[in-house]
């Protein structure tokens, strides 16, 4: 596989892992947090025939692209775009059944505050899956090449950038932020910042939690 080879789309494989955790009956209102142009959110709707997807992103341009893609894929009336940030999500308390986010967590200005906001908007019994990865079903050869390119790009920016890249994706960082956000219960799965041939690299790195009924702060 050459440097310029186009790698397979990962949105569908990430969406499969999210559905596995959140369940087909996870709820009707889902949010793709830091959605960009809605790659993950729209892939999820393929497996969630009764769901409505709320796209939240600070970029109106990206949201516009997501809405256009939703129309082209026939998701009329099932996608809502909201311009905003993770640190102050413009949604009422306990209004969303499932919150997912792939790839944006590393760029939140205040990640612990963003997690508090996710907890706030989740309904009792709601679930969240936040982090980064390619999905456990992503082709292995493409996965290795994807990770190689990412690490090479970070290294090209210098040793400090490479260190920050690995630290942002480490389980320890995810756990520290979850504790800082005072999440009552959570799990961190996968291992970030590993070499492409490490068997634990496959899943990526994810923070998952459930807002158990009666477990409000």
């Amino acid at each position: 596989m050459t440097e310029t080879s186009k790698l397979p789309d990962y949105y569908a494989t990430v969406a499969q892992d999210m559905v596995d955790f959140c369940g087909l009956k996870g709820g009707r209102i889902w949010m793709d947090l830091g959605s960009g142009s809605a790659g993950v959110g729209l892939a999820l709707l393929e497996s969630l025939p009764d769901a409505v997807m709320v796209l939240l992103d600070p970029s109106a341009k990206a949201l516009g692209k997501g809405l256009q893609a939703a129309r082209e894929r026939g998701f009329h009336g099932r996608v809502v775009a909201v311009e905003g940030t993770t640190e102050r999500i413009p949604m009422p308390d306990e209004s969303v059944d499932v919150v997912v986010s792939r790839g944006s967590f590393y760029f939140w200005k205040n990640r612990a505050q963003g997690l508090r906001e996710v907890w706030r908007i989740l309904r009792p019994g709601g679930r969240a899956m936040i982090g980064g990865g390619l999905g456990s079903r992503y082709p292995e050869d493409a996965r290795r090449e994807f990770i190689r390119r990412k690490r090479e790009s970070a290294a090209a920016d210098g040793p400090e950038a490479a260190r920050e890249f690995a630290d942002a994706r480490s389980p320890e960082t995810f756990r520290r932020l979850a504790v800082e956000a005072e999440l009552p219960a959570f799990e961190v799965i996968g291992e970030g910042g590993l070499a492409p041939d490490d068997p634990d690299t496959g899943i990526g790195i994810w923070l998952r939690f459930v807002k158990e009924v009666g477990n409000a702060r």
Side-chain angles (χ1 to χ4, degrees), residues 66-148:
L67 289 175
Q68 178 62 31
R71 288 190 289 269
E72 292 171 356
R73 292 169 68 167
F75 296 133
H76 303 289
R78 298 181 58 202
V79 178
V80 178
V82 177
E83 188 175 349
T85 67
T86 56
E87 292 80 16
R88 192 172 181 179
I89 300 174
M91 296 286 288
D93 294 355
E94 299 185 350
S95 58
V96 178
D97 295 300
V98 179
V99 176
V100 297
S101 182
R102 187 261 171 214
S104 76
F105 187 55
Y106 315 118
F107 305 102
W108 297 3
K109 292 182 179 179
N110 185 328
R111 286 180 282 174
Q113 174 59 22
L115 292 175
R116 294 186 196 103
E117 281 289 274
V118 171
W119 180 270
R120 178 185 66 80
I121 67 171
L122 277 178
R123 290 174 176 164
R127 292 174 174 248
M129 183 168 172
I130 295 167
L134 301 171
S136 59
R137 299 170 180 86
Y138 195 74
E140 188 57 34
D141 59 340
R143 183 193 316 282
R144 291 170 184 265
E145 177 62 14
F146 182 95
I147 295 167
R148 185 193 69 78

Side-chain angles (χ1 to χ4, degrees), residues 41-82:
L42 299 186
L44 281 164
L45 287 180
E46 297 286 356
S47 300
L48 302 167
D50 299 321
V52 171
M53 186 65 60
V54 180
L55 309 176
L56 186 137
D57 199 272
S59 169
K61 183 176 180 180
L63 290 172
K65 291 181 178 179
L67 289 175
Q68 178 62 31
R71 288 190 289 269
E72 292 171 356
R73 292 169 68 167
F75 296 133
H76 303 289
R78 298 181 58 202
V79 178
V80 178
V82 177

Side-chain angles (χ1 to χ4, degrees), residues 106-216:
Y106 315 118
F107 305 102
W108 297 3
K109 292 182 179 179
N110 185 328
R111 286 180 282 174
Q113 174 59 22
L115 292 175
R116 294 186 196 103
E117 281 289 274
V118 171
W119 180 270
R120 178 185 66 80
I121 67 171
L122 277 178
R123 290 174 176 164
R127 292 174 174 248
M129 183 168 172
I130 295 167
L134 301 171
S136 59
R137 299 170 180 86
Y138 195 74
E140 188 57 34
D141 59 340
R143 183 193 316 282
R144 291 170 184 265
E145 177 62 14
F146 182 95
I147 295 167
R148 185 193 69 78
R149 293 182 189 180
K150 280 286 188 181
R151 291 172 66 86
E152 187 175 89
S153 176
D157 292 331
E160 181 63 20
R163 185 197 64 77
E164 290 179 358
F165 177 87
D167 180 66
R169 290 156 178 78
S170 74
E172 292 75 17
T173 296
F174 273 54
R175 293 188 189 100
R176 174 179 59 78
L177 291 166
V179 170
E180 186 179 338
E182 300 181 305
L183 299 180
F186 63 88
E187 64 176 346
V188 176
I189 64 167
E191 299 290 332
L194 296 177
D197 58 352
D198 192 298
D200 289 327
T201 301
I203 191 69
I205 179 75
W206 298 93
L207 172 66
R208 308 193 306 192
F209 54 92
V210 180
K211 187 174 183 178
E212 299 289 359
V213 176
N215 195 8

